[in-house]
Amino acid sequence: MTKPDADAAAMRLLHHRTAALAVGDPVAEPLVATSTFRLGDGDPAPDAIYGRYATANVEAAEGRLAHVEGAPCILFPAGMGAIGATMLACAGAGDRVVVPSDGYMHSRVVLRDILAPLGVEGVEVPTLDLPDADLDGVALVLAETPSNPGLDVIDVAALAERCRAAGTRLAVDNTFCTGFLQRPLDLGADVVVSADTKAAGGHSDLILGHAATRDAALGDRLRAIRKFMGMIPGPFEAWMLSRSLETLEVRLDRMCANAAAVVASMAEAGLPVSWPGLPSHPQHALAMRQMRDPGYVFGVTLPDRATAMRFLDRSGILSATSFGGTHTSADRRGRWGDAVPEGYLRISAGIEPTGPLLDAVRRGMAAL
Ligand SMILES: *Cc1c(COP(=O)(O)O)cnc(C)c1O
């Protein structure tokens, strides 16, 4: 996504509600907590019937997300809701689904423990091998780029072209980037899935997700799964997301700038840092082409577990899983069994002022 496109999307998102206000309307989104709505005599059919079908706050959040994605969006109560529903919508018994072996762990668990017994075969492939994966009998490929936690980057447009030729759907988990940093649908993906729990929600107080697609039939199928399987978020969560989305672009700007500054200071100190924005990253050129910004998440490999914990302790950087929040936080991924060294920290830059954040990082590095 080029900068002017992103700016235009951010402008539309911010004015999503205010552009259509009548005199006397509340400027902020009202929270409408109701499970049911008054009905007429049945003709015409009312828009609002029952809270499991649709609600004003869910539709308002989806309307805002649509500006970010450049496509209709379907909100789910978690990122995994969006991923699970997409797998259900795209694959059935006898189909294969390819997922990254080094990507978000629960996408693999859904295939192994829930869909495999129903006859869907999961195939796990390392992110960097996805572009050449065997697509025979594959209904869906789920890709994640940059991958989590390794930050490998693959060419979405090239993979989308192969998938299209094979009659395979391509889903991209765009949680790291959000539509402001990367637009997989513009690169040819069929569907984007995203955990709004992370940067989109952005305040570490919300579990939510969405799918975005320009394929109307797939969108209808996802809405049907949501409606009949009861996978719609409550109005409050949707309302929180609408509020968060208004500051997403400005938060991402600070987060990405902070990541660039911290990465530069760690690289200067000779630490092995991994970030798609560094010329030393193996897919740097591709990342700079495909992403609007190399992002706010980076990895650093410290000698061992104790050193990593000492760094966090001295710097005061929050030790927590997840990413994309207002606070800079670090997750020692070896703790969760990821195939990374014990001293590997995945760091998510927050929105702190850059100077004091760098001071904190330097205090941590002095303790190494
Ligand atoms: C967190 C995350 C998810 C799952 O999101 P939930 O809201 O926790 O269900 C999926 N994919 C990626 C890349 C994530 O980071």
Side-chain angles (χ1 to χ4, degrees):
M1 194 180 194
T2 61
K3 175 80 172 135
D5 287 351
D7 286 353
M11 191 74 178
R12 283 195 300 274
L13 187 164
L14 197 58
H15 292 277
H16 177 77
R17 174 177 174 79
T18 52
L21 289 182
V23 172
D25 281 349
V27 168
E29 192 76 47
L31 171 62
V32 183
T34 187
S35 59
T36 190
F37 300 83
R38 180 181 166 173
L39 299 175
D41 66 2
D43 198 22
D47 286 340
I49 300 173
Y50 184 56
R52 178 158 48 76
Y53 304 175
T55 64
N57 291 118
V58 166
E59 283 173 356
E62 289 175 342
R64 286 177 170 81
L65 282 170
H67 299 301
V68 185
E69 299 288 6
C73 293
I74 302 110
L75 202 61
F76 285 92
M80 284 316 304
I83 292 170
T86 297
M87 289 178 179
L88 281 176
C90 295
D95 287 331
R96 297 161 76 212
V97 173
V98 172
V99 289
S101 57
D102 49 356
Y104 194 71
M105 179 180 48
H106 290 169
S107 300
R108 298 194 295 278
V109 174
V110 169
L111 276 171
R112 269 184 225 157
D113 293 359
I114 299 175
L115 293 180
L118 302 178
V120 178
E121 187 195 342
V123 182
E124 299 177 9
V125 175
T127 293
L128 289 176
D129 295 339
L130 273 181
D132 306 311
D134 176 8
L135 298 180
D136 193 35
V138 175
L140 176 71
V141 171
L142 174 66
E144 228 181 289
T145 176
S147 64
N148 174 12
L151 304 176
D152 294 325
V153 175
I154 54 168
D155 188 332
V156 175
L159 180 56
E161 207 169 303
R162 271 199 75 216
C163 285
R164 201 172 313 115
T168 299
R169 281 203 170 109
L170 174 62
V172 175
D173 184 334
N174 204 35
T175 297
F176 263 170
C177 291
T178 81
F180 278 134
L181 302 187
Q182 176 170 276
R183 292 266 293 252
L185 298 177
D186 291 350
L187 300 169
D190 296 290
V191 52
V192 159
V193 290
S194 193
D196 297 312
T197 305
K198 313 293 164 58
H203 295 69
S204 312
D205 54 7
L206 191 57
I207 301 281
L208 215 55
H210 73 270
T213 181
R214 294 170 184 158
D215 176 334
L218 179 56
D220 287 346
R221 181 102 181 118
L222 287 166
R223 279 185 204 93
I225 289 170
R226 179 175 77 173
K227 176 175 175 178
F228 296 115
M229 298 185 90
M231 294 167 77
I232 197 163
F236 181 61
E237 281 71 23
W239 179 84
M240 297 252 285
L241 179 62
S242 283
R243 193 181 202 277
S244 295
L245 286 174
E246 293 202 345
T247 57
L248 174 57
E249 193 244 3
V250 83
R251 283 186 282 112
L252 284 172
D253 268 1
R254 173 66 71 81
M255 288 156 72
C256 291
N258 276 350
V262 173
V263 164
S265 131
M266 286 182 159
E268 196 183 300
L271 293 178
V273 213
S274 160
W275 185 57
L278 279 178
S280 59
H281 187 283
Q283 298 95 39
H284 173 67
L286 169 63
M288 299 313 283
R289 212 166 54 235
Q290 184 166 274
M291 303 166 72
R292 181 187 157 206
D293 189 287
Y296 56 90
V297 178
F298 58 93
V300 58
T301 305
L302 299 178
D304 50 36
R305 171 181 169 168
T307 312
M309 293 321 286
R310 195 162 68 243
F311 169 79
L312 293 182
D313 197 46
R314 297 290 169 81
S315 64
I317 287 176
L318 178 68
S319 169
T321 194
S322 196
F323 55 87
T326 50
H327 314 89
T328 296
S329 67
D331 194 1
R332 195 178 63 76
R333 292 301 306 179
R335 174 200 306 262
W336 311 115
D338 283 356
V340 290
E342 281 292 308
Y344 177 85
L345 291 174
R346 185 190 70 197
I347 300 184
S348 169
I351 62 166
E352 295 90 348
T354 308
L357 176 62
L358 281 176
D359 290 344
V361 168
R362 287 194 193 103
R363 276 196 301 278
M365 290 195 296
L368 295 181

